[in-house]
Amino acid sequence: MLIKKLILYTLGVISLFLISYNVHYYLTLKFEIYHPYSLWSVYIFQAVASYVLVVVFELLASLTKEFKDQLGFLYLGSMAVKVLFFCVLFRDVIFFGPDLSKIDSVSLLLPIFIFIFYEVIVIVKILNRETQN
């Protein structure tokens, strides 16, 4: 059962990545928008970080009973760590690069919100499943 869930999470993240990145990339080409950062790198980071978070929380929920009541709080803390890693990896763009236009800023934030939405949906399902058991 755990393997099936992990496969579904993998397929979900890959599908979300492929669809959202390709639509976003197509729109940037269509409207001739050129960002001072790699859109691919932003999407890859968000997809990998979201996948790791979802897998870790599924494993915590499935394999341990100690963290069952704290999973929601752990998720909030993990979001802070994810943001910190993002800021460290993309510090040249965020802090030291040229001022980002509004479209550049939106394009940088869009993958973050897409994958946060995915994480929240999965984590809520995990939490609801754990409270029903």
Side-chain angles (χ1 to χ4, degrees), residues 30 42-44 46 57-58 68 87 90 97 109:
K30 180 175 173 57
V42 174
Y43 271 93
I44 286 290
Q46 294 301 327
F57 278 87
E58 180 61 48
K68 183 177 171 182
C87 289
F90 293 94
L109 291 173

mmCIF file of all heavy atoms in Angstrom, residues 30 42-44 46 57-58 68 87 90 97 109:
data_model
loop_
_atom_site.group_PDB
_atom_site.id
_atom_site.type_symbol
_atom_site.label_atom_id
_atom_site.label_comp_id
_atom_site.label_asym_id
_atom_site.label_seq_id
_atom_site.Cartn_x
_atom_site.Cartn_y
_atom_site.Cartn_z
ATOM 1 N N LYS A 30 5.830 32.567 -26.354
ATOM 2 C CA LYS A 30 4.786 33.210 -27.156
ATOM 3 C C LYS A 30 4.795 34.725 -26.971
ATOM 4 O O LYS A 30 4.642 35.478 -27.935
ATOM 5 C CB LYS A 30 3.419 32.641 -26.789
ATOM 6 C CG LYS A 30 2.262 33.245 -27.560
ATOM 7 C CD LYS A 30 0.977 32.538 -27.231
ATOM 8 C CE LYS A 30 -0.241 33.178 -27.808
ATOM 9 N NZ LYS A 30 -0.271 33.344 -29.233
ATOM 10 N N VAL A 42 14.052 26.670 -11.526
ATOM 11 C CA VAL A 42 13.046 26.982 -10.506
ATOM 12 C C VAL A 42 12.031 25.848 -10.414
ATOM 13 O O VAL A 42 11.695 25.386 -9.318
ATOM 14 C CB VAL A 42 12.344 28.330 -10.812
ATOM 15 C CG1 VAL A 42 11.208 28.583 -9.845
ATOM 16 C CG2 VAL A 42 13.344 29.473 -10.780
ATOM 17 N N TYR A 43 11.560 25.367 -11.550
ATOM 18 C CA TYR A 43 10.585 24.275 -11.555
ATOM 19 C C TYR A 43 11.192 22.976 -11.020
ATOM 20 O O TYR A 43 10.549 22.252 -10.267
ATOM 21 C CB TYR A 43 10.004 24.059 -12.956
ATOM 22 C CG TYR A 43 8.782 24.890 -13.212
ATOM 23 C CD1 TYR A 43 8.878 26.138 -13.818
ATOM 24 C CD2 TYR A 43 7.523 24.449 -12.845
ATOM 25 C CE1 TYR A 43 7.756 26.909 -14.053
ATOM 26 C CE2 TYR A 43 6.384 25.205 -13.073
ATOM 27 C CZ TYR A 43 6.507 26.437 -13.683
ATOM 28 O OH TYR A 43 5.385 27.190 -13.900
ATOM 29 N N ILE A 44 12.418 22.690 -11.415
ATOM 30 C CA ILE A 44 13.078 21.467 -10.926
ATOM 31 C C ILE A 44 13.215 21.526 -9.411
ATOM 32 O O ILE A 44 12.913 20.548 -8.708
ATOM 33 C CB ILE A 44 14.455 21.278 -11.594
ATOM 34 C CG1 ILE A 44 14.302 20.832 -13.037
ATOM 35 C CG2 ILE A 44 15.326 20.288 -10.825
ATOM 36 C CD1 ILE A 44 13.779 19.416 -13.205
ATOM 37 N N GLN A 46 11.456 23.231 -7.211
ATOM 38 C CA GLN A 46 10.144 23.121 -6.566
ATOM 39 C C GLN A 46 9.598 21.704 -6.656
ATOM 40 O O GLN A 46 9.028 21.193 -5.691
ATOM 41 C CB GLN A 46 9.152 24.120 -7.183
ATOM 42 C CG GLN A 46 9.499 25.560 -6.930
ATOM 43 C CD GLN A 46 9.560 25.894 -5.453
ATOM 44 O OE1 GLN A 46 8.840 25.342 -4.632
ATOM 45 N NE2 GLN A 46 10.441 26.812 -5.104
ATOM 46 N N PHE A 57 6.642 13.007 4.600
ATOM 47 C CA PHE A 57 5.445 13.038 5.429
ATOM 48 C C PHE A 57 4.633 11.755 5.303
ATOM 49 O O PHE A 57 4.039 11.305 6.279
ATOM 50 C CB PHE A 57 4.601 14.275 5.131
ATOM 51 C CG PHE A 57 5.111 15.475 5.848
ATOM 52 C CD1 PHE A 57 6.101 16.277 5.280
ATOM 53 C CD2 PHE A 57 4.657 15.786 7.106
ATOM 54 C CE1 PHE A 57 6.607 17.361 5.961
ATOM 55 C CE2 PHE A 57 5.158 16.870 7.792
ATOM 56 C CZ PHE A 57 6.135 17.664 7.223
ATOM 57 N N GLU A 58 4.620 11.161 4.141
ATOM 58 C CA GLU A 58 3.939 9.870 3.994
ATOM 59 C C GLU A 58 4.659 8.809 4.821
ATOM 60 O O GLU A 58 4.018 8.003 5.502
ATOM 61 C CB GLU A 58 3.880 9.446 2.525
ATOM 62 C CG GLU A 58 3.191 8.126 2.310
ATOM 63 C CD GLU A 58 1.739 8.114 2.756
ATOM 64 O OE1 GLU A 58 0.994 9.046 2.409
ATOM 65 O OE2 GLU A 58 1.340 7.169 3.472
ATOM 66 N N LYS A 68 2.451 11.508 14.667
ATOM 67 C CA LYS A 68 1.110 11.559 14.098
ATOM 68 C C LYS A 68 0.400 12.881 14.388
ATOM 69 O O LYS A 68 -0.177 13.492 13.492
ATOM 70 C CB LYS A 68 0.301 10.386 14.650
ATOM 71 C CG LYS A 68 -1.074 10.259 14.111
ATOM 72 C CD LYS A 68 -1.722 9.010 14.697
ATOM 73 C CE LYS A 68 -3.174 8.943 14.350
ATOM 74 N NZ LYS A 68 -3.819 7.793 14.932
ATOM 75 N N CYS A 87 15.953 30.384 -1.229
ATOM 76 C CA CYS A 87 16.652 31.676 -1.167
ATOM 77 C C CYS A 87 18.165 31.502 -1.272
ATOM 78 O O CYS A 87 18.841 32.319 -1.895
ATOM 79 C CB CYS A 87 16.291 32.429 0.112
ATOM 80 S SG CYS A 87 14.608 33.056 0.112
ATOM 81 N N PHE A 90 18.947 30.397 -5.033
ATOM 82 C CA PHE A 90 18.651 31.431 -6.022
ATOM 83 C C PHE A 90 18.989 32.829 -5.504
ATOM 84 O O PHE A 90 18.399 33.813 -5.923
ATOM 85 C CB PHE A 90 17.177 31.346 -6.439
ATOM 86 C CG PHE A 90 16.864 30.087 -7.193
ATOM 87 C CD1 PHE A 90 16.386 28.972 -6.529
ATOM 88 C CD2 PHE A 90 17.074 29.998 -8.553
ATOM 89 C CE1 PHE A 90 16.114 27.795 -7.213
ATOM 90 C CE2 PHE A 90 16.805 28.839 -9.250
ATOM 91 C CZ PHE A 90 16.322 27.728 -8.569
ATOM 92 N N GLY A 97 20.946 40.063 -8.090
ATOM 93 C CA GLY A 97 20.743 40.257 -9.518
ATOM 94 C C GLY A 97 20.084 41.594 -9.810
ATOM 95 O O GLY A 97 19.862 42.409 -8.918
ATOM 96 N N LEU A 109 7.483 33.261 -8.706
ATOM 97 C CA LEU A 109 6.588 32.818 -7.632
ATOM 98 C C LEU A 109 5.566 31.773 -8.077
ATOM 99 O O LEU A 109 5.099 30.982 -7.267
ATOM 100 C CB LEU A 109 5.858 34.018 -7.035
ATOM 101 C CG LEU A 109 6.721 34.988 -6.242
ATOM 102 C CD1 LEU A 109 5.908 36.214 -5.841
ATOM 103 C CD2 LEU A 109 7.309 34.311 -5.028
#
